[in-house]
Each structure stands twice: as C-alpha cells, then as structure tokens.
C-alpha cells in the first residue's frame, strides 16, 4: 500500500482536504484505482453507470451483508429498486413523520443533549416504523449498540475492518430479533415486500442507510442555521430548501459515493465531499451561502448518482424539512460550540457527539 492510499484509508478527511486544490479533479490512489470529483467526469460516470460494476465497500459489506442491495448489480439490483423506490416515497409517510417528530421534541430534556445522537435516534425510529410497521425500541436500541461498536469512532471502524473483519456481522441474537420482526410485518410495512432469502441483509441495509445519512444531514442543517445569525427567524419554505441544499453541499452526509469498476478492472471512487468544495465550481466554497446559484451537472450529488442514487432521497429530504421546521417552531436552539470537527461513521460524515443542543420553549 503506497502513501497516498494509506492516507486515504487512515485519515480520510485530512487526505481529501490535502488534494482539494487539484484542478483536474482526480487523484490516483494506486494502480488502477482513482478518486474522482471533476463535474465532467462525474456526469459521464453517472450516465454510463448501468455498464459498470459496483464493488462492495470493504468497511460496510461485512456489516450489511454480501446480499445487500447496495452491492447487487444487473437485474437483481433493478428488481430491488423497483420495490424500494415507490415504497420509500416520502409523501406517504408525512403524517407518521410529523407524529414521531412532535413526540421526540416533546421529550427533549431541559438541559444539553447531543444533537447528532438525538437526530440519529429519531430517524432510526422513523425508518424502523416504515420497515417493520411498529415501534420496537428494544430492537432499535440493540441495533444502535451493535452499530456503534463498529462505527462509533474512526478507530473502531478501522479496527473492525483491518483487525477483526469477520466480527462485524450482526450477532445471532440481534439477527434473530430483526428477522422475527421482519417476518411478522404486514403490509404496508416495507419488510413485508422483501424476498425472504435476502431478508437479513436488506433489513439491516434499510435500517442503516435509512437513518444514518438523514440524521447527519439534519444535524448539519441545524448546525449551519445556528451558526448563521438571523437565519432561523427568516426561514420561509424557499429559504429552508436553499439552506438544506447548501448544508448538503458544504457538509454532505456521505463523503464518497461508492465504487465503480470498468470491464477492464479500473476502480473509480467518486468523492461527494471534494465535488462540493471545488473552487472552480463554487465561489468561496468553504462559506455557507444559501443564496448560491444552482451548480452545473455533476457538481452536486449528496445522495449519490447514476443507478446508485439513494432511493430514499425524497424521504430523507422530507424528514429534514419536517424535523427542522418543527424544532424551530417549538424551540429556541443554542449549540454548545460555534465550530465542530466532523466525525466519520464509515463513509458517513456527522457532527461529533460532543455537539450539544440546548432547546428552550418559545412560549
């Protein structure tokens, strides 16, 4: 392993920052593997995505399973997408989300609470209800403990990836709990529509992907609103949409957009983080500015692109809007720190757990 690839694996965000100024928007990690972020390259890559293979993540594939929809290709992947995309359409769950958000806001303590942990718990409960059709706090708490042991810090992630790769799969007790809840789900619960042979891997993938990035995006949006004087008081619908979009640009919930492999074995990894911070595309790219003009094609893809774009994108955006709107309607928000260093959970980028929120009643 050369020094470039070592930096990419061990210190991802500092490495990405170190190559940000490369004008051609690509860097070779090793022989026949490239990290890319130039908008023209991204547009071409996503246009031709159906002709490429999608190798699994070395970090997440032991966690989510070899049969996760995230790694499937061809007809199998298309069939799963046809099931998941309409089932994850956000508007059908609006009343459910509103009810769960109001309940979670009502339970906020008077003292400081970790903002990332609060958004993570809330979004997991939402996707848990969508997948299983019922609340099961015991199951979701067990799932969270298992996930945090593996992704709770960069050190844990690297240790499980490099030192104990076989131990990252779920323990038998948690698997049994997940499968029991999934097998007893009835329509319209999403688990009722999943094929039984891949049930464990698909359920874990839905729970993970259906809450982790949404929670991070929500926390980052609240962070940027808190850091921008007067913004919370001016947030009409249009400005909220622009604020969420700019938060997704500057603090994308995922740093990378999966791997692509050509027929001759070339592996290409798109970088969302670098594409969104490219100075040739965005003026003053490190400045939070909701008034930015729309970027060119291939320059903004916070939920991935091509055939691998997130099928739950609209659901995630709806959750972010509803959580932010309800929280700011009921509470005045103050964060413990004006700045924070991002924490990686796999390839997901979240504020650190130490970012505390104090929420006081408006009335």
């Amino acid at each position: 392993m050369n020094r470039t690839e070592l930096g990419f694996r061990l210190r991802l965000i500092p490495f990405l920052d170190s190559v940000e100024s490369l004008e051609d928007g690509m860097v070779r990690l090793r022989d026949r593997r490239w990290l890319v972020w130039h908008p023209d390259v991204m547009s071409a890559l996503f246009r031709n995505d159906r002709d490429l293979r999608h190798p699994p993540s070395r970090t997440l594939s032991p966690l989510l399973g070899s049969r996760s929809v995230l790694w499937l290709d061809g007809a199998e992947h298309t069939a799963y997408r046809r099931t998941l995309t309409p089932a994850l359409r956000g508007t059908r769950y609006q009343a459910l989300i509103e009810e769960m958000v109001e309940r979670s806001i009502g339970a906020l303590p008077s003292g400081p609470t970790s903002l990332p942990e609060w958004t993570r718990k809330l979004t997991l409960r939402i996707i848990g209800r969508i997948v299983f059709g019922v609340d099961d706090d015991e199951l979701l708490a067990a799932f969270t403990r298992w996930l945090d042991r593996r992704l709770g810090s960069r050190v844990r992630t690297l240790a499980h990836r490099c030192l104990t790769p076989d131990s990252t799969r779920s323990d038998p007790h948690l698997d049994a709990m997940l499968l029991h809840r999934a097998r007893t789900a009835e329509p319209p619960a999403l688990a009722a529509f999943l094929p039984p042979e891949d049930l464990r891997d698909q359920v874990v993938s839905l729970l993970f992907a259906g809450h982790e990035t949404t929670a991070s995006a929500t926390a980052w949006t609240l962070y940027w609103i808190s850091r921008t004087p007067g913004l919370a008081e001016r947030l009409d619908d249009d400005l909220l949409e622009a604020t969420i979009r700019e938060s997704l640009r500057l603090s994308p919930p995922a740093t990378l957009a999966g791997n692509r492999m050509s027929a001759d074995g070339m592996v290409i990894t798109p970088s969302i983080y670098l594409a969104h911070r490219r100075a040739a595309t965005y003026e003053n790219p490190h400045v939070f500015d909701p008034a930015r003009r729309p970027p060119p094609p291939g320059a903004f893809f916070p939920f991935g692109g091509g055939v691998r774009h997130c099928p739950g994108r609209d659901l995630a955006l709806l959750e972010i809007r509803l959580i932010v709107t309800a929280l700011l309607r009921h509470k005045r928000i103050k964060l413990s720190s004006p700045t924070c260093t991002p924490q990686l959970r796999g390839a997901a980028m979240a504020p650190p757990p130490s970012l505390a929120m104090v929420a006081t009643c408006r009335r």
Side-chain angles (χ1 to χ4, degrees):
M1 186 184 301
N2 61 48
R3 181 176 297 180
T4 301
E5 188 178 15
L6 192 64
F8 174 73
R9 288 192 181 184
L10 298 183
R11 303 181 71 246
L12 179 59
I13 292 179
F15 172 81
L16 296 178
D17 290 338
S18 73
V19 300
E20 181 182 298
S21 61
L22 295 178
E23 293 186 4
D24 56 0
M26 59 179 66
V27 63
R28 189 172 73 171
L29 299 176
R30 56 174 163 81
D31 186 40
R32 306 187 65 72
R33 183 173 183 188
W34 291 80
L35 181 73
V36 299
W37 63 95
H38 192 287
D40 293 343
V41 176
M42 301 315 311
S43 293
L45 190 68
F46 292 149
R47 277 198 310 271
N48 295 282
D49 212 7
R50 292 188 184 280
D51 300 325
L52 302 171
R53 291 180 53 213
H54 302 83
S57 159
R58 288 184 59 192
T59 297
L60 293 180
S61 59
L63 194 81
L64 307 183
S66 61
R67 293 291 300 169
S68 167
V69 66
L70 299 179
W71 332 125
L72 298 179
D73 273 313
E76 286 186 310
H77 178 257
T78 300
Y80 269 113
R81 296 279 302 200
R82 286 174 179 164
T83 298
L84 295 176
T85 301
L88 291 173
R89 195 163 289 126
T91 52
R92 67 188 297 177
Y93 301 112
Q94 180 160 343
L96 165 66
I97 297 169
E98 288 175 339
E99 176 226 325
M100 300 187 81
V101 170
E102 293 287 336
R103 192 193 318 164
S104 184
I105 292 173
L108 276 170
S110 57
T113 186
S114 169
L115 174 61
E117 291 179 2
W118 180 75
T119 59
R120 200 170 291 127
K121 183 176 181 180
L122 173 55
T123 56
L124 180 58
R125 291 194 72 198
I126 291 170
I127 192 63
R129 175 80 76 84
I130 291 171
V131 171
F132 298 127
V134 296
D135 290 327
D136 191 332
D137 290 342
E138 180 184 358
L139 173 59
L140 297 182
F143 180 82
T144 297
R145 289 192 297 271
W146 169 72
L147 200 61
D148 283 348
R149 285 198 298 269
R150 287 137 180 90
L151 298 180
S153 71
R154 190 64 177 162
V155 172
R156 292 182 193 175
T157 300
L158 292 170
H160 279 281
R161 173 174 169 169
C162 302
L163 302 179
T164 56
D166 294 334
S167 69
T168 54
R169 283 191 62 89
S170 175
D171 61 78
H173 179 63
L174 178 57
D175 274 351
M177 293 173 67
L178 290 167
L179 288 173
H180 170 74
R181 183 58 69 196
R183 287 168 179 159
T184 56
E186 297 181 359
L190 185 50
F193 299 98
L194 298 174
E197 61 271 16
D198 299 333
L199 193 55
R200 182 267 173 198
D201 290 0
Q202 306 313 338
V203 165
V204 173
S205 298
L206 284 166
L207 292 178
F208 172 76
H211 92 284
E212 187 75 35
T213 54
T214 305
S216 296
T218 304
W220 282 121
T221 300
L222 290 165
Y223 168 77
W224 287 113
I225 291 172
S226 177
R227 280 201 60 183
T228 308
L231 180 57
E233 289 70 33
R234 297 184 289 113
L235 275 180
D236 58 18
D237 289 345
D238 291 340
L239 183 54
L240 176 59
E241 292 292 332
T243 297
I244 293 171
R245 185 178 181 87
E246 178 68 352
S247 177
L248 288 169
R249 182 197 68 82
L250 190 54
S251 304
T255 53
L256 308 173
N259 299 317
R260 271 74 176 173
M261 180 183 286
S262 64
D264 63 357
M266 182 75 71
V267 177
I268 301 170
T269 303
S271 174
I272 303 171
Y273 181 94
L274 289 173
H276 289 189
R277 292 167 176 247
R278 187 170 180 265
T281 303
Y282 297 98
E283 185 177 0
N284 298 319
H286 296 276
V287 174
F288 180 78
D289 180 11
R292 288 184 187 276
R293 289 177 293 182
F300 181 75
F301 47 100
F303 295 101
V307 299
R308 282 319 212 252
H309 76 270
C310 176
R313 175 182 55 191
D314 291 343
L315 175 63
L317 290 171
L318 177 64
E319 288 184 54
I320 299 168
R321 288 196 300 271
L322 293 178
I323 295 170
V324 171
T325 299
L327 187 60
L328 296 182
R329 183 173 65 246
H330 292 298
K331 304 288 185 178
R332 289 184 176 89
I333 302 301
K334 183 177 181 180
L335 299 185
S336 61
S337 172
T339 60
C340 63
T341 302
Q343 179 196 41
L344 285 179
R345 291 171 59 88
M349 188 175 78
S354 59
L355 182 65
M357 168 180 70
V358 176
T360 57
C361 291
R362 286 193 173 274
R363 293 189 296 273

